[in-house]
Structure formats: structure tokens, C-alpha cells
Amino acid sequence: MISFDSVSKSFGDRKILSNISFEIKSGEKLFLLGRSGIGKSVTLKLLVGILNPDAGKIQIDKNILPTTDEGVLAQVRRNCSLVFQLPTLIDSRSLFDNACLGIRGLSLKDRIQKVSAALEEVGLGHLTENSSNIFPPHLSYGEQKRVSLARTLAVDPAYILYDEPTTGMDPQTARMIHKLISKIGNRKTSLVVSHDMRNALETADRIILIDGGEIQDSGTPSELLKSRHPLTREFLKGVQIGPHHTPHKGPQDV
């Protein structure tokens, strides 16, 4: 379980987050939506201890942030893996080497097993046999993104944090990535920072909309479709709900 308790963060005179509180339940897929530059990515950095809040506290299982205890920070970062906007692969290293960058203390045999399972889960199992001879420039952008997901899965974190996971993608590739997030989220607690309401409705168990440093609206996809909040209505503009676009049912909708 992850909880934010009255968390605030400013940079100089610019207030980013103002006294926000929310929880992410175990096994939940939570989407944090908002316009660009309103503090969504800051929330992820606070969660892994890259930044410290000005006020309030963050709890990840039994660990409390902020802290100066390096052991607690190491535990938090082992449990919470951050998937960046860009694939952040190393072009000079093979697909296999990239996919097992976070694995420590395992034999080559065990690393191969973990990487193979992770590549299979993200739909790249067919590349496993040749993974030591394939390099990032040989892959499409969507494939590179999937390798970065496989790298995250290979270290087996409890929580996966996605920072704008479909930035720069065409709609078809973006939907493919969100399908993977949904699939992975069936066994991993997930926090997804995004501005993509369309895919959030299909993937999330719960959605939080943030603006002006504060939570403006929240609920399951079905609840937000009925919301009259102006920000929610703005994000819903142009989202077509039809036979090929069914809102995901969060636990409260079932």
C-alpha cells in the first residue's frame, strides 16, 4: 500500500503540490491525470525519494518518506521501479544487457531466465534467443519501450511507476503499451502519470485528476464519465465511448 498524507511541494514561489492526500491499494492500477507541468512527475520523484516534500509524509508499506536513512531509501527504490517517458536504453549494449541492468547477484543462467520471462510478458519472447546480438537501434520505438518495461519486470518490484508512458507514440502503439500496463497491472500495483484520458478509462481501476497543486476529481472510470467537474469534462472532450472503447471497471464498479 502507498499513501500520500497532506503532501506539499514548492520550487521557490511556485507551488507544485498543495496538501494532497491519496492512497494506492495493493493490486490497484491508479492513473494520475493532469495538464503538462502541474506536478504529476514530481509526485513520482517524491515517491522514490529523488525529491523530498516540504510538508506531509509518504508511506510505502512500512517505510516512511522523507528520510535520511539510506537503508530505507534503498528498500523503497527496490520495491518501486520507475518507467521513464523515454525508453532510456543504452545503444551500445545488447537487448539482453539492457534488460538485465537492474538485476544483481544472480548467475548468468538465472539472469537469462528472468530476462526471457520478462520479454515474453511484454510480447518480445521471439527476440529472446537472439537477445545478445540485438541492439536498441535495431528496434522500433515501441519495441524499445517494451524492452524498458521488461527491464523493470526483471527486477520484480512490488510497485511500478509509469511517467507519461506513451509520450511521442502514435495512437496504435500507445494503445498497445496501455494494454501491457493493464496486463502487468493484474499482478503489480501500478501508478501511471498521464494526460491520456482515453487510455486511462480503458486501463485504470481509479483515476485522480490534479490541477493547481490539488486533487480536483477522482473515481473509477465509470464514475468519472458521469462527473460534472469542469476539468473532468474538459479531459473527456473528444473521447469516444463505443463498442471498441469500454471503460475499465474498477473494484467499486464490480
Side-chain angles (χ1 to χ4, degrees):
M1 187 271 291
I2 292 173
S3 69
F4 278 63
D5 183 5
S6 302
V7 171
S8 296
K9 182 65 180 178
S10 297
F11 295 110
D13 295 332
R14 185 184 174 205
K15 186 173 289 187
I16 304 299
L17 299 175
S18 180
N19 200 39
I20 66 166
S21 298
F22 64 90
E23 289 186 355
I24 309 171
K25 300 174 184 176
S26 179
E28 187 175 36
K29 296 186 288 288
L30 177 68
F31 272 60
L32 186 64
L33 266 62
R35 302 182 182 95
S36 297
I38 53 82
K40 304 187 303 296
S41 296
V42 169
T43 303
L44 297 183
K45 292 174 182 177
L46 291 169
L47 184 51
V48 295
I50 296 174
L51 296 173
N52 287 328
D54 299 327
K57 69 177 183 179
I58 300 163
Q59 182 169 351
I60 305 101
D61 297 325
K62 296 180 180 179
N63 296 312
I64 305 293
L65 298 176
T67 181
T68 57
D69 188 324
E70 291 296 329
V72 170
L73 283 173
Q75 182 66 46
V76 166
R77 289 166 184 169
R78 279 194 297 270
N79 288 341
C80 300
S81 282
L82 181 57
V83 180
F84 297 96
Q85 289 184 23
L86 302 176
T88 61
L89 303 180
I90 302 172
D91 285 351
S92 61
R93 303 188 70 168
S94 70
L95 185 160
F96 176 80
D97 287 340
N98 273 285
C100 65
L101 275 176
I103 301 174
R104 298 287 183 270
L106 294 183
S107 67
L108 177 60
K109 180 181 178 181
D110 288 339
R111 279 184 286 148
I112 290 172
Q113 185 176 30
K114 279 189 170 289
V115 168
S116 297
L119 289 174
E120 186 69 37
E121 186 161 8
V122 300
L124 294 177
H126 61 287
L127 299 180
T128 299
E129 188 174 343
N130 233 2
S131 63
S132 293
N133 298 313
I134 299 172
F135 292 80
H138 302 153
L139 303 172
S140 69
Y141 184 81
E143 288 172 330
Q144 290 185 38
K145 192 73 178 184
R146 283 190 278 170
V147 172
S148 73
L149 283 175
R151 180 177 59 196
T152 296
L153 293 172
V155 299
D156 198 27
Y159 305 99
I160 301 183
L161 319 175
Y162 300 87
D163 188 3
E164 297 283 5
T166 55
T167 295
M169 291 185 179
D170 61 86
Q172 185 176 359
T173 305
R175 291 195 71 187
M176 175 196 69
I177 293 297
H178 275 287
K179 285 181 180 179
L180 281 174
I181 292 171
S182 182
K183 175 186 173 185
I184 293 166
N186 290 331
R187 65 181 188 86
K188 297 284 183 184
T189 304
S190 305
L191 173 60
V192 184
V193 157
S194 180
H195 59 269
D196 187 344
M197 177 63 89
R198 177 185 177 87
N199 281 305
L201 290 171
E202 290 186 334
T203 308
D205 294 318
R206 192 160 50 95
I207 300 168
I208 291 175
L209 279 91
I210 187 169
D211 196 51
E214 299 178 351
I215 293 174
Q216 301 293 332
D217 202 1
S218 66
T220 66
S222 294
E223 288 170 343
L224 287 193
L225 284 171
K226 300 172 186 175
S227 173
R228 304 313 304 169
H229 192 287
L231 181 64
T232 306
R233 301 316 303 173
E234 181 181 334
F235 268 83
L236 286 169
K237 283 180 181 178
V239 175
Q240 299 297 319
I241 306 299
H244 301 295
H245 184 82
T246 304
H248 178 69
K249 288 189 176 182
Q252 299 172 49
D253 293 325
V254 177

